[in-house]
Amino acid sequence: MSDHTDDPTKPTSQNAFQTPQNYPVPLSPPLPSMSKDIELSRAISASSKSSLHSISRRDFVYEDEWLIAVNKPQGVYCESVFDSVRKFLSDSAEPGIEASPPELHLANRLDRDTSGLMLITKSHKVAAKLVKAFATHRVTKTYIALCIGSVPKWEKITIQSGHGRSKFGAWRVYAASDVGRTLPGGSVVRDMETSFELLSVNGQGIFKEPSEFKKDEGNVIVVEERAEIYTDIEKDEILVRACPKSGRSHQIRLHCQYLGISIRGDVKYEGLYEWKGRTYDGHELHAESLSFEHPITGLPLLFQAPLPSWASEVLQQQ
């Protein structure tokens, strides 16, 4: 009789990599149960809002013959903004002048409820150069987020972790040491890094321009275990600036959750849906600035989107 066994619970060279105990364990919690219905409602509302969306010249932050930067509103899909730009350019063309329409490409994407800067290129060549610039971290991005949680003990901090999701699962934070390991479904844990700067607590603080942001090289968290979050402590309104080095899906939202300062309205990642008697239709995260070398001229560019009302209201308290 053969000693061979097909028991899948006993690791072999064929099945060792498939056994559950060998998969990385996420260090952030699963989606809250309440988030499913709220997210569905928000998606339906965004679809309706997006279908009616139109853009105007005041939404353009920058335009030249190669690039366009526009300010995307909260609750509208990127594709709808892109289509609105295409229509706006077509409608704005001078009558009687025949010219080939530009080869528009979306250079960066924002989540449905994230507002702020979207880049659109006007040719394949420029699109390819910008894709490479984003991939090689030669584009500096800053975001503003309004969070609810306990006051951080840091003024600046950088967090490094893994990022991934199992098949059909939610995005989660993983240990930095898990980067490169395979998850159920075949995807791989990837690295992500975000630097944060504390701007204000309950409206009190000093707002600095994004160009002044410098990360604190001496205050770095390398994630290897679950964060200790205390839910029964007093919560405050915390305005932060985030500068993601990588560009993973929901990166800033996940890292805010890990730090115990989930973004207000971000029900996927434990952000409060209701705060001080008011409910929120989306998370309060804004793509504030982009800086990089112009892909054609080589000149330095810095684009900055106008702040949304929720950020302006906080800053007016200062």
Side-chain angles (χ1 to χ4, degrees):
M1 181 180 290
S2 170
D3 290 334
H4 176 72
T5 177
D6 290 325
D7 184 351
T9 64
K10 295 183 179 180
T12 68
S13 59
Q14 287 77 26
N15 70 10
F17 70 96
Q18 296 178 333
T19 55
Q21 59 266 35
N22 285 334
Y23 287 127
V25 176
L27 301 182
S28 58
L31 299 185
S33 57
M34 67 173 290
S35 68
K36 185 177 180 180
D37 289 341
I38 295 174
E39 281 294 306
L40 177 59
S41 175
R42 287 176 176 177
I44 293 171
S45 174
S47 293
S48 175
K49 187 176 178 181
S50 296
S51 67
L52 300 172
H53 179 69
S54 63
I55 203 163
S56 66
R57 176 56 67 182
R58 68 175 180 272
D59 299 314
F60 282 62
V61 175
Y62 176 86
E63 183 183 9
D64 63 20
E65 59 186 293
W66 302 285
L67 288 172
I68 300 171
V70 296
N71 186 25
K72 171 192 166 309
Q74 184 190 56
V76 173
Y77 291 105
C78 282
E79 291 78 10
S80 296
V81 176
F82 180 79
D83 290 342
S84 294
V85 170
R86 186 192 300 277
K87 184 177 186 304
F88 180 87
L89 294 179
S90 175
D91 292 346
S92 302
E94 294 185 27
I97 298 179
E98 291 190 10
S100 299
E103 304 160 338
L104 298 183
H105 298 269
L106 193 56
N108 69 321
R109 290 182 177 274
L110 300 177
D111 295 336
R112 177 195 68 214
D113 291 334
T114 301
S115 58
L117 285 170
M118 268 180 54
L119 273 183
I120 297 171
T121 62
K122 294 184 177 181
S123 74
H124 297 310
K125 178 183 177 182
V126 177
K129 288 192 172 191
L130 265 185
V131 165
K132 185 176 181 180
F134 273 104
T136 54
H137 310 307
R138 289 185 285 116
V139 178
T140 300
K141 303 164 283 186
T142 70
Y143 291 72
I144 294 286
L146 184 56
C147 307
I148 305 296
S150 59
V151 180
K153 296 178 181 178
W154 43 265
E155 292 186 4
K156 292 182 179 181
I157 199 168
T158 295
I159 177 170
Q160 300 170 347
S161 73
H163 169 272
R165 65 175 173 183
S166 302
K167 190 175 183 181
F168 308 122
W171 295 110
R172 310 278 286 278
V173 171
Y174 286 81
S177 57
D178 284 333
V179 171
R181 295 181 63 192
T182 303
L183 294 166
S187 63
V188 173
V189 177
R190 303 176 73 185
D191 65 302
M192 64 174 174
E193 177 181 316
T194 314
S195 296
F196 289 93
E197 176 182 37
L198 181 63
L199 295 178
S200 76
V201 176
N202 298 325
Q204 302 301 308
I206 300 175
F207 184 79
K208 302 173 184 176
E209 292 300 320
S211 57
E212 299 177 48
F213 181 78
K214 298 276 190 303
K215 78 174 186 180
D216 184 350
E217 300 285 354
N219 194 11
V220 179
I221 293 176
V222 180
V223 173
E224 291 297 342
E225 56 188 23
R226 286 185 173 87
E228 293 185 8
I229 305 298
Y230 304 99
T231 58
D232 57 347
I233 57 177
E234 184 178 347
K235 297 184 184 298
D236 297 280
E237 294 181 358
I238 300 158
L239 189 69
V240 297
R241 173 173 287 126
C243 181
K245 180 179 178 182
S246 42
R248 310 299 180 213
S249 296
H250 301 183
Q251 173 172 331
I252 296 170
R253 298 164 63 187
L254 283 163
H255 275 167
C256 282
Q257 179 191 33
Y258 186 86
L259 291 170
I261 51 169
S262 291
I263 298 172
R264 188 167 70 181
D266 193 1
V267 294
K268 271 192 173 183
Y269 302 114
E270 300 185 303
L272 293 180
Y273 174 60
E274 183 176 353
W275 174 250
K276 294 185 176 180
R278 177 183 166 188
T279 57
Y280 291 85
D281 296 329
H283 60 253
E284 296 183 324
L285 178 64
H286 179 68
E288 174 193 33
S289 75
L290 288 168
S291 59
F292 55 95
E293 287 187 359
H294 194 290
I296 300 299
T297 67
L299 294 173
L301 295 175
L302 170 61
F303 302 145
Q304 193 166 342
L307 291 176
S309 58
W310 53 261
S312 299
E313 289 168 7
V314 171
L315 295 175
Q316 285 172 3
Q317 300 175 41
Q318 297 185 10

